[in-house]
Amino acid sequence: VLGEKVNVEVIMMSSEIRQAMPRLFYLQNTAIELFFKDHTSVFFNFHTGGQRGRDEIYRRLCKNLRLPFKISPTRRLQESGIVSQWKRGEISNFQYLMHVNTIAGRTYNDVSQYPVFPWVIHDFTSKTLDLRNPGIYRDLSKPMGALNPDRLEAIDERFENPLPDVPPFHYGSHYSSPGIVNYFLVRVEPYATLALAQQGGRFDLPDRLFDSVQKAWHLSYTQLSDVKELIPEFFCNARFLRNSNRLRLGVKQNGEAVGDVVLPPWAKGCPERFVRLHRQALESPIVSRRLHLWIDLIFGASQKGHRAEDAKNLFYYLTYPGQVDVSLITEPKTREATLAQISSFGQTPSQVFTTPHPEKDAAAIMTQQAQQSSLKLPFVMPPHYGSVNVFKVNRRKRVCGLAVNALGSLCIVTETDILRITEKKNKKGEEEEEGKKKQNKRDLTTPRKNDDDNDDDNDEN
């Protein structure tokens, strides 16, 4: 029954847990996230017992699993050695940002604490993208709200005239919130369902949906209430740019239906190309030389305090951890309003750097520049290749993965066989193959080079 409390028993193999980390929930120290060897994770919030109860559970868990007991994200980061690895160029900018996000408490398991990534370029109108041109890149030393001088005047005025009984702030909105995550990911589940719930059972107005990368940048650059940053998917997963589920997102005032996201001209209409070039921009030497400045703003020394004030980087006080203890609020309406503010309007990550972040080594940047052209992600199947129902390979055999044979053909690899995926044949050829199949039913065998009969048989399967 909806709303009814139930007891749930969770059983998991302790040998499969590789890490456990304390987490915030509604900016309260009451949660734990477990990470498993299969690269999945689960998020638990212990709403009774407060921080003391959570810490005791976490301590016992670490003792039983022989995991390091660390409460402080700063200490965890220092002992991980990940900063030195990034400085030496041993891991990519994307990998490093994911590590920092995770240690700072950002997680895919909570849309109010989703991983944060930066806008790295602002050229979404050109037909070609020259990654060697410094003019296409965003200034990573400034927060989104401070990039536009015209908007900054209004932001400074707000800071100089604070609300009664509220600490001064530059921005009433935030760069990361459930609304922003659902805005970007509205075309894929479970975020489509979350977006519907957020809007009372229907999608937002079509003109306000995410339907253009250029439009999203323009809003973040010009609107006083919009200072959003990006999410990891912009650099690794093109799926969110397509309306593959054919959701009815509505028709805009200009008569255009909202479907796939409109990409910059340099993406040539291909989401995979957009993500690949966008990722190359993130990994470029120009971004590598300045990325530490953006990390200072989001996770580090310029996140709060006097440095944040000087950087025009202060947000509404209830977005920061440690500003309010919800358990001490006894008045129901005040408690409800506080929780709504925390859950819906953005949460600042835990601060993991208290001193300015070090720069990336110059030698690592030079090496990175020489290797940049080798980036080949993500992969997209050419349009003239057909899909294959792998369950028709053989129901008694497991599909182990994909491979490319010596002839350059993409193959499905089972425990004993290799099924080639070949180009679609014309209708006449398909009819001929169907006739051969009816006359000679044979089990699928491993295709041999220059064996046309076997190849044709495999093509049919």
Side-chain angles (χ1 to χ4, degrees), residues 248-267:
R248 296 181 179 179
L249 300 175
V251 179
K252 296 183 291 185
Q253 292 182 1
N254 62 6
E256 296 179 359
V258 179
D260 295 345
V261 176
V262 178
L263 303 174
W266 47 259

Side-chain angles (χ1 to χ4, degrees), residues 244-293:
S244 300
N245 294 326
R246 299 181 180 179
L247 300 175
R248 296 181 179 179
L249 300 175
V251 179
K252 296 183 291 185
Q253 292 182 1
N254 62 6
E256 296 179 359
V258 179
D260 295 345
V261 176
V262 178
L263 303 174
W266 47 259
K268 302 186 185 305
C270 177
E272 285 76 17
R273 178 181 172 84
F274 169 81
V275 170
R276 176 172 59 83
L277 291 175
H278 207 219
R279 175 71 170 271
Q280 286 181 336
L282 176 65
E283 304 297 344
S284 69
I286 294 174
V287 170
S288 293
R289 293 188 186 100
R290 308 279 287 175
L291 187 58
H292 63 284
L293 300 174

Side-chain angles (χ1 to χ4, degrees), residues 6-12 44:
V6 295
N7 294 322
V8 178
E9 182 178 0
V10 179
I11 301 176
M12 61 190 72
F44 296 101

Side-chain angles (χ1 to χ4, degrees), residues 114-130:
Y114 210 77
V116 188
F117 270 64
W119 289 97
V120 293
I121 60 175
H122 57 73
D123 183 359
F124 300 105
T125 58
S126 299
K127 292 183 178 180
T128 59
L129 191 66
D130 183 3

Side-chain angles (χ1 to χ4, degrees), residues 14-120:
S14 60
S15 60
E16 295 300 312
I17 301 174
R18 63 180 177 86
Q19 187 59 273
M21 291 187 183
R23 289 296 191 231
L24 299 176
F25 187 70
Y26 286 119
L27 294 180
Q28 312 300 300
N29 284 290
T30 57
I32 294 174
E33 190 167 20
L34 300 181
F35 299 84
F36 298 92
K37 293 178 181 178
D38 63 354
H39 301 288
T40 59
S41 62
V42 292
F43 190 100
F44 296 101
N45 178 55
F46 303 93
H47 66 279
T48 59
Q51 180 176 352
R52 182 177 297 179
R54 189 283 309 271
D55 289 351
E56 180 60 26
I57 294 173
Y58 177 53
R59 188 185 302 277
R60 292 183 181 181
L61 184 65
C62 291
K63 181 179 179 180
N64 293 337
L65 299 177
R66 297 180 180 178
L67 296 172
F69 177 78
K70 298 184 182 72
I71 295 293
S72 167
T74 301
R75 180 183 172 190
R76 184 181 293 274
L77 183 71
Q78 290 172 345
E79 296 182 5
S80 70
I82 198 71
V83 179
S84 297
Q85 292 181 42
W86 175 77
K87 284 183 59 183
R88 295 191 298 265
E90 296 174 4
I91 59 174
S92 68
N93 292 342
F94 180 88
Q95 290 172 309
Y96 183 57
L97 288 176
M98 285 303 304
H99 279 292
V100 174
N101 268 282
T102 300
I103 292 176
R106 311 304 284 192
T107 171
Y108 287 108
N109 292 318
D110 185 357
V111 289
S112 65
Q113 302 183 84
Y114 210 77
V116 188
F117 270 64
W119 289 97
V120 293

Side-chain angles (χ1 to χ4, degrees), residues 145-160:
L147 291 177
N148 187 337
D150 296 333
R151 180 172 61 177
L152 188 57
E153 293 182 8
I155 291 172
D156 285 335
E157 183 178 352
R158 171 192 286 164
F159 183 82
E160 297 298 331

Side-chain angles (χ1 to χ4, degrees), residues 419-434:
L419 175 67
R420 279 182 54 187
I421 305 176
T422 60
E423 296 185 28
K424 292 181 179 178
K425 300 214 174 3
N426 56 36
K427 186 175 182 180
K428 180 178 179 181
E430 291 177 352
E431 292 175 351
E432 292 176 354
E433 291 299 322
E434 183 65 25

